Amino acid sequence: MTALPLLPCIAIAGPTASGKTAAALALADLLAQRGQKAEIISVDSALVYRGMDIGTAKPSAQELAAVPHHLIDIIDPLQAYSAAEFVRDTQVLVAEIRARGAIPLLVGGTMLYFKALMDGLDDMPAANPGVRAMLDAQAAELGWPAMHAKLAEVDPVTAARLAPGDSQRIQRALEVWQVSGRPLSSFHTSKSQAGPAEQMGLAALFSLEPQDRAWLHQRIALRFELMLEQGFLDEVRALRARGDLHLDLPSMRCVGYRQAWEVLDALEAHPEKPLDMAGLRERGIAATRQLAKRQITWLRSMPQRRAIACDAPDAQQQLLAAAMSIIDAAQQPAD
């Protein structure tokens, strides 16, 4: 008796500006040429927000029309979207995509989401307003770098992957420690059962990683310049004009948005001074480079990944060949 093969699920991860979207679209096109459908599930905590298009490098209307995309433009910037929600939604989407006879492609750079898929997430403590208020008061007195140092004492694993100025994540990690007595990192290591990715039948996690960081840094700088040319600052102005958004929201802490918001704050406080575009470029590019560094650190902690040098001339061809080999093997009927 011949068993019906399970349509494989392929993941493409990598730091910002490493070519993930282009690789995923190329893979979907190659599959289409063979009469096979594919659908893309975004693994990106910034693309979930509506009205945040330029600064998130959201796929263009043409790209979105070429291949069905999911988990893009699903919530308002005023809302939050957790890793647990992402895992739940992705499990449902993978099943639905397979039911349509298509191959699910998980594509993005939010490593917490990938980690949650690979390892699962324990039930972490809910937000505690009292503890958060206490931590905010301490941070106001000591500064977030000092709070980061405190975190390093109780949870060095989490502290190592967070920048000293990443107030939102530092606060959450310290909050979890205060409430549970356990480091945040301990909630990501439980392997009592198969992780969601294994349950979904994830066939491969490809990781686009640069051999030469300078190559990636150049692409990051060019991308940020292009965003500014496309009207990124006007996009942030429109978000500010709503009146209900602020820098403490996860959406407005996205790389680039925070820096642009602060530049506009400075202009509002001192309208007699010119807009500091040079400062915005410098800070925006620096913050994006720091993000990429953290993403690469996360990726290197994932033994399941198949690394491909994204700065190699034939990087995309390497990924396509490896992915198609896995897809072909997975679809062979099993006796």
Side-chain angles (χ1 to χ4, degrees):
M1 183 174 180
T2 300
L4 202 63
L6 182 70
L7 288 170
C9 180
I10 301 291
I12 302 174
T16 184
S18 60
K20 300 181 295 294
T21 298
L25 291 171
L27 178 55
D29 183 60
L30 184 57
L31 287 165
Q33 292 174 31
R34 299 190 351 172
Q36 176 72 67
K37 296 181 290 183
E39 298 186 27
I40 292 174
I41 299 174
S42 169
V43 188
D44 191 306
S45 60
L47 295 188
V48 298
Y49 297 113
R50 293 187 289 268
M52 295 173 60
D53 304 329
I54 298 172
T56 61
K58 196 167 285 180
S60 66
Q62 182 178 3
E63 290 169 336
L64 292 171
V67 182
H69 284 67
H70 305 276
L71 301 188
I72 293 178
D73 290 337
I74 60 172
I75 61 172
D76 185 84
L78 197 59
Q79 300 171 290
Y81 188 70
S82 69
E85 290 173 303
F86 167 78
V87 170
R88 178 201 65 203
D89 291 345
T90 296
Q91 289 174 308
V92 172
L93 284 166
V94 165
E96 292 176 347
I97 291 168
R98 281 188 172 130
R100 289 191 286 270
I103 291 176
L105 304 179
L106 308 181
V107 184
T110 297
M111 300 310 158
L112 177 60
Y113 287 4
F114 275 119
K115 193 77 169 174
L117 278 177
M118 296 299 172
D119 299 340
L121 290 174
D122 290 347
D123 291 329
M124 286 188 287
N128 186 305
V131 171
R132 289 193 172 186
M134 177 194 70
L135 293 170
D136 282 337
Q138 290 179 4
E141 179 182 352
L142 303 174
W144 283 108
M147 300 298 283
H148 181 267
K150 284 178 174 289
L151 177 62
E153 295 175 5
V154 299
D155 188 356
V157 174
T158 299
R161 67 175 178 79
L162 298 182
D166 193 347
S167 56
Q168 178 191 0
R169 292 180 176 86
I170 293 170
Q171 181 195 59
R172 177 56 177 158
L174 286 170
E175 176 190 29
V176 169
W177 168 258
Q178 290 282 349
V179 172
S180 70
R182 289 175 57 188
L184 179 67
S185 55
S186 73
F187 287 91
H188 303 320
T189 57
S190 176
K191 293 289 289 181
S192 57
Q193 58 182 6
E198 188 176 344
Q199 296 171 23
M200 291 187 307
L202 180 67
L205 167 60
F206 292 103
S207 175
L208 295 172
E209 302 171 24
Q211 293 179 310
D212 180 6
R213 293 285 181 95
W215 177 90
L216 187 64
H217 292 170
Q218 183 180 28
R219 285 173 61 92
I220 286 170
L222 289 172
R223 173 183 278 192
F224 198 79
E225 288 285 357
L226 179 60
M227 288 176 179
L228 291 174
E229 292 173 10
Q230 291 173 332
F232 174 47
L233 208 53
D234 287 335
E235 182 173 86
V236 180
R237 283 193 178 100
L239 292 166
R240 283 167 59 89
R242 287 179 34 159
D244 58 347
L245 302 177
H246 52 82
L247 278 182
D248 290 331
L249 292 168
S251 59
M252 293 302 102
R253 290 183 177 275
C254 289
V255 166
Y257 286 88
R258 177 173 185 167
Q259 289 74 29
W261 191 289
E262 289 172 344
V263 164
L264 292 172
D265 273 348
L267 181 64
E268 190 175 275
H270 301 283
E272 74 282 0
K273 294 184 178 180
L275 182 68
D276 185 14
M277 287 299 294
L280 173 56
R281 285 189 182 90
E282 180 180 349
R283 291 165 59 200
I285 291 170
T288 309
R289 285 172 60 169
Q290 284 297 313
L291 169 63
K293 181 180 179 181
R294 295 195 299 273
Q295 289 170 315
I296 292 169
T297 298
W298 269 91
L299 282 166
R300 288 178 175 169
S301 73
M302 296 181 184
Q304 311 95 325
R305 82 194 198 287
R306 302 184 183 205
I308 292 176
C310 55
D311 48 348
D314 63 341
Q316 190 173 107
Q317 288 78 9
Q318 287 185 49
L319 189 150
L320 294 182
M324 292 305 293
S325 175
I326 290 169
I327 289 169
D328 287 343
Q331 296 187 90
Q332 291 297 319
D335 292 334

